[in-house]
Amino acid sequence: MARVTNQQAGGGKVEFSARIGRTALAATFAMAARARALRAAGHDVISLSLGEPDFPTPPHVVEAAHDAARRGETRYPPLAGTEALRAAVAEKYRREQKLDIPPADVLITNGGKQAIFNVVMALAQAGDEVLIPAPAWAGYEQTVRFAGASPVFCACPQEQNFVLSPAALEAAITPRTRLLILNYPNNPTGAAIDAAGLGALAEVIRRHPHITVLSDDIYEHLLFEGEYATLAAVAPDLAPRVITLTGVSKSYAMTGWRIGFLAGPADLIRACTVVQATATSGVCSIAQAAALAALTGDQSHLATRAAAFAARRDLVLAGLAAAPGLSCVRPRGAFYVFPDISGCLGKTSPAGRRLETDGDFAMALLEEAHVGTVQGSAFAASPHIRLSTASDDATLARACTRIAAFCHSLR
Ligand code: PLP
């Protein structure tokens, strides 16, 4: 396989593996870096490009971490996670989804991201296809390419509220499909799926026994309307080939603690543990103690925060209604809005930028109106932009005013 070379300033040559060459860093990071640079240059930039809650981690969770460190929980933790946290995750699934998962079938990971890495590396290799309903979080494609497998995007159009249809799923499956990734509530669209929708997808999955499903439920607590549903609970007969991902990053405002959970069939959890053992020696013991406190402590803030995010969604939708050329679907969960911007393409910005793509639009919006977003192409869905609603109301309102003024100014 071809290597990637890099001519060093001193004349030496570093040869990187082919996997580095085929793995691009997510555009979300690039946009945030540009926003930081503009801010450092003195501009008043509003960045709506990153996907993390602006709320603080609950104080009792922070206290639990302090306590664990003082108690001396500072040694190598068990590879698959502490017994207490795995039991708490199993109990969480019983409590919230009526899923009966033994603690032994739970793996604690370094964030949801490592959970995805573990699953993809355990299942997929060169020649395999991983089905990704799009719009999709960029992390999936990156990981699949890293593993040497091929991402296959399955379009979920705005007219269908960005939800995967059974027909589209059926049409995308081939003998090489190893893994299907489902993500509801969805990043970047906020789309959600109910039990009936999952039941219809389950019928297709049943017809193709060679497929495993990763259900990425990281936004499970941020559903604003309807009943939450997850595939392993809706279709228990499929449980032997469904692995479910959750975590504390989004629900408990703990992105920096890097804790994720995988729950699924014992053989797949074992394979994921092998990947994890190869990459790390388990997950920070202090962060695990914090996550345990999050899962076993007061849960009332989950509903409070979901209500706050729902109100912000409404605020942003109302603000963007004044922006000509943008059309939005009402997100049902998560903390993103994903407007279609096709009405702005082919136009020219006040600084003379011709807007041909959503990347042009997002860059012009950042450079000229100082609002950071992410272009839809980063989520395999153009022409769109993604706005994160994880900022306070005043900031969101100011951002919407700038976006509307920018759209009005296009000629
Ligand atoms: N899955 C989705 C859909 C996400 O949006 C993210 C983070 O943005 C993750 C997984 C990763 O979560 P974590 O921050 O716990 O690694």
Side-chain angles (χ1 to χ4, degrees):
M1 224 170 270
R3 287 181 175 274
V4 184
T5 58
N6 175 25
Q7 193 69 45
Q8 300 286 290
K13 206 198 283 172
V14 177
E15 291 204 333
F16 298 110
S17 67
R19 98 173 45 87
I20 293 301
R22 63 177 179 252
T23 310
L25 271 190
T28 39
F29 295 122
M31 234 357 144
R34 185 68 194 121
R36 266 197 305 276
L38 283 170
R39 209 175 270 140
H43 297 290
D44 168 30
V45 175
I46 304 175
S47 180
L48 305 182
S49 59
L50 274 188
E52 67 178 339
D54 53 320
F55 299 111
T57 298
H60 73 276
V61 171
V62 178
E63 271 316 303
H66 279 275
D67 290 347
R70 282 193 212 97
R71 269 199 312 273
E73 288 181 25
T74 53
R75 308 214 166 247
Y76 283 126
L79 194 51
T82 64
E83 253 179 55
L85 183 54
R86 293 168 89 193
V89 173
E91 171 52 30
K92 162 201 140 55
Y93 277 111
R94 210 172 350 267
R95 182 173 74 221
E96 297 177 352
Q97 270 110 48
K98 317 273 178 294
L99 269 177
D100 193 14
I101 294 170
D105 294 352
V106 171
L107 175 64
I108 311 301
T109 61
N110 288 284
K113 201 153 196 185
Q114 193 190 21
I116 295 161
F117 185 84
N118 289 347
V119 173
V120 171
M121 291 298 278
L123 289 171
Q125 60 191 19
D128 293 336
E129 293 175 353
V130 176
L131 264 188
I132 306 175
W137 180 53
Y140 304 134
E141 177 182 0
Q142 188 183 357
T143 310
V144 170
R145 289 197 189 283
F146 192 85
S150 305
V152 174
F153 293 106
C154 186
C156 307
Q158 175 156 315
E159 305 79 66
Q160 291 167 17
N161 293 326
F162 300 117
V163 176
L164 178 64
S165 73
L169 174 60
E170 183 73 66
I173 292 172
T174 76
R176 293 164 61 193
T177 310
R178 290 285 293 154
L179 179 66
L180 161 68
I181 301 179
L182 298 179
N183 170 225
Y184 300 106
N186 177 263
N187 175 7
T189 63
I193 193 164
D194 58 14
L198 283 173
L201 295 180
E203 278 181 32
V204 179
I205 296 162
R206 254 177 222 119
R207 286 198 287 274
H208 300 278
H210 63 295
I211 299 175
T212 299
V213 183
L214 168 61
S215 182
D216 179 348
D217 298 359
I218 199 101
Y219 296 96
E220 60 181 339
H221 293 121
L222 293 171
L223 180 70
F224 311 140
E225 44 219 49
E227 281 279 301
Y228 182 78
T230 189
L231 184 65
V234 168
D237 61 306
L238 292 179
R241 51 195 179 99
V242 175
I243 189 158
T244 306
L245 155 61
T246 56
V248 291
S249 297
K250 318 286 179 176
S251 302
Y252 296 87
M254 292 177 65
T255 46
W257 301 78
R258 310 307 304 130
I259 295 280
F261 313 134
L262 277 174
D267 52 352
L268 184 47
I269 289 290
R270 244 193 323 275
C272 288
T273 310
V274 171
V275 178
Q276 184 153 306
T278 308
T280 75
S281 290
V283 176
C284 170
S285 54
I286 311 292
Q288 291 197 65
L292 178 62
L295 292 191
T296 54
D298 175 31
Q299 304 294 301
S300 61
H301 62 93
L302 294 177
T304 316
R305 288 178 176 179
F309 279 122
R312 289 169 174 187
R313 168 203 61 183
D314 293 342
L315 187 157
V316 169
L317 289 179
L320 294 184
L326 266 52
S327 82
C328 298
V329 160
R330 184 181 158 88
R332 292 180 54 206
F335 39 70
Y336 309 103
V337 178
F338 197 61
D340 177 307
I341 58 143
S342 43
C344 297
L345 296 187
K347 298 190 173 178
T348 303
S349 72
R353 288 185 173 84
R354 178 119 179 115
L355 308 183
E356 302 290 359
T357 66
D358 52 18
D360 297 341
F361 181 91
M363 194 46 86
L365 185 66
L366 176 60
E367 300 276 357
E368 298 179 34
H370 298 148
V371 178
T373 59
V374 184
Q375 66 271 32
S377 57
F379 307 98
S382 290
H384 287 267
I385 54 168
R386 187 194 74 173
L387 292 81
S388 160
T389 61
S391 297
D392 61 69
D393 289 2
T395 305
L396 291 172
R398 271 195 317 131
C400 289
T401 304
R402 289 186 191 183
I403 294 170
F406 178 73
C407 291
H408 272 290
S409 71
L410 300 177
R411 292 289 171 264

mmCIF file of all heavy atoms in Angstrom, residues 170 287 322-323 330 355 403:
data_model
loop_
_atom_site.group_PDB
_atom_site.id
_atom_site.type_symbol
_atom_site.label_atom_id
_atom_site.label_comp_id
_atom_site.label_asym_id
_atom_site.label_seq_id
_atom_site.Cartn_x
_atom_site.Cartn_y
_atom_site.Cartn_z
ATOM 1 N N GLU A 170 -32.364 -0.901 1.899
ATOM 2 C CA GLU A 170 -32.342 -2.134 1.105
ATOM 3 C C GLU A 170 -31.476 -1.949 -0.144
ATOM 4 O O GLU A 170 -30.665 -2.810 -0.483
ATOM 5 C CB GLU A 170 -33.781 -2.508 0.717
ATOM 6 C CG GLU A 170 -33.914 -3.806 -0.050
ATOM 7 C CD GLU A 170 -33.687 -5.041 0.815
ATOM 8 O OE1 GLU A 170 -34.503 -5.290 1.723
ATOM 9 O OE2 GLU A 170 -32.694 -5.760 0.566
ATOM 10 N N ALA A 287 -11.993 9.724 35.718
ATOM 11 C CA ALA A 287 -13.138 10.048 34.856
ATOM 12 C C ALA A 287 -14.225 8.977 34.993
ATOM 13 O O ALA A 287 -15.418 9.273 34.912
ATOM 14 C CB ALA A 287 -12.681 10.173 33.406
ATOM 15 N N ALA A 322 -35.929 34.642 8.903
ATOM 16 C CA ALA A 322 -35.733 35.968 8.304
ATOM 17 C C ALA A 322 -34.558 35.980 7.328
ATOM 18 O O ALA A 322 -34.185 37.038 6.820
ATOM 19 C CB ALA A 322 -35.485 36.987 9.424
ATOM 20 N N ALA A 323 -33.946 34.812 7.090
ATOM 21 C CA ALA A 323 -32.767 34.750 6.206
ATOM 22 C C ALA A 323 -33.176 34.222 4.834
ATOM 23 O O ALA A 323 -33.451 33.028 4.685
ATOM 24 C CB ALA A 323 -31.699 33.844 6.822
ATOM 25 N N ARG A 330 -37.396 21.205 10.983
ATOM 26 C CA ARG A 330 -37.404 21.374 12.432
ATOM 27 C C ARG A 330 -36.734 20.167 13.095
ATOM 28 O O ARG A 330 -37.256 19.038 13.028
ATOM 29 C CB ARG A 330 -38.869 21.475 12.859
ATOM 30 C CG ARG A 330 -39.137 21.749 14.287
ATOM 31 C CD ARG A 330 -40.674 21.780 14.453
ATOM 32 N NE ARG A 330 -41.067 21.522 15.816
ATOM 33 C CZ ARG A 330 -41.185 22.460 16.734
ATOM 34 N NH1 ARG A 330 -40.935 23.713 16.417
ATOM 35 N NH2 ARG A 330 -41.540 22.144 17.955
ATOM 36 N N LEU A 355 -20.335 32.547 -4.420
ATOM 37 C CA LEU A 355 -20.707 31.403 -3.589
ATOM 38 C C LEU A 355 -21.211 30.255 -4.464
ATOM 39 O O LEU A 355 -22.351 30.256 -4.909
ATOM 40 C CB LEU A 355 -21.779 31.811 -2.576
ATOM 41 C CG LEU A 355 -21.465 33.055 -1.729
ATOM 42 C CD1 LEU A 355 -22.568 33.323 -0.716
ATOM 43 C CD2 LEU A 355 -20.116 32.917 -1.027
ATOM 44 N N ILE A 403 -26.616 36.299 10.338
ATOM 45 C CA ILE A 403 -26.821 35.397 9.190
ATOM 46 C C ILE A 403 -27.891 35.983 8.265
ATOM 47 O O ILE A 403 -27.727 36.007 7.039
ATOM 48 C CB ILE A 403 -27.229 33.979 9.679
ATOM 49 C CG1 ILE A 403 -26.063 33.336 10.435
ATOM 50 C CG2 ILE A 403 -27.652 33.101 8.502
ATOM 51 C CD1 ILE A 403 -26.416 32.040 11.159
#
